[in-house]
């Protein structure tokens, strides 16, 4: 199916994006530090340090989201709990970055953000329709019971429930 390749692609894209965001912010921090210029009276050292810390934080965030996508690809199971929340938040972040990219940088950057957003949403949606392993078991493989025709397991009851008593008219 399409689930595993999409999960692999999302993982690779998020890891590359994590490195790119961290490297770009680190480079901007170095440029601000070497220029020794202030913006509206802000200290250049504070701006440089903030840019480097922000790059590390966002790089780790995207790397952690990439790790979740990698685990989804390896296990071939949908993300649950914190991993699902992280992927949803990454989709929201890419939607917002796409909106800012359209206004500030242009359509190629917007297109990249929308493609990453679409991949993350596709990853989340393809695993939503997946049935749980318990639902895939056949009904006649009930542990401890016969499971044959007319058994309580086939009628939807548990194997320990006695059959209903016949009633007289």
């Amino acid at each position: 199916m399409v689930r595993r390749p999409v999960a692999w692609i999302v993982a690779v894209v998020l890891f590359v994006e994590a490195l790119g965001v961290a490297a770009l912010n680190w480079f901007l921090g170095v440029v601000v530090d070497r220029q020794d210029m202030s913006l509206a009276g802000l200290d250049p050292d504070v701006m440089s340090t903030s840019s480097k810390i922000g790059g590390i934080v966002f790089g780790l965030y995207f790397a952690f989201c990439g790790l979740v996508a990698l685990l989804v690809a390896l296990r071939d199971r949908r993300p649950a709990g914190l991993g699902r929340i992280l992927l949803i938040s990454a989709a929201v972040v890419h939607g917002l970055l796409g909106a800012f990219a359209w206004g500030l940088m242009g359509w190629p950057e917007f297109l990249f953000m929308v493609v990453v957003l679409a991949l993350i949403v596709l990853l989340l949606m393809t695993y939503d329709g997946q049935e749980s392993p318990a639902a895939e078991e056949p009904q006649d493989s009930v542990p401890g019971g016969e499971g044959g025709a007319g058994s309580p397991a086939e009628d939807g009851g548990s194997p320990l429930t006695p059959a209903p008593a016949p009633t007289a008219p």
Side-chain angles (χ1 to χ4, degrees), residues 5 7 17 21 28 35 53 58 65 77 85 92 132 157 159 162:
E17 192 173 9
V21 165
L28 291 175
Q35 289 294 321
I53 290 173
F58 279 112
C65 292
R77 289 192 316 216
I85 292 170
V92 170
S132 64

Side-chain angles (χ1 to χ4, degrees), residues 134-149:
E136 294 174 3
E137 289 183 11
Q139 287 291 337
D140 52 296
S141 65
V142 178
E146 295 289 322

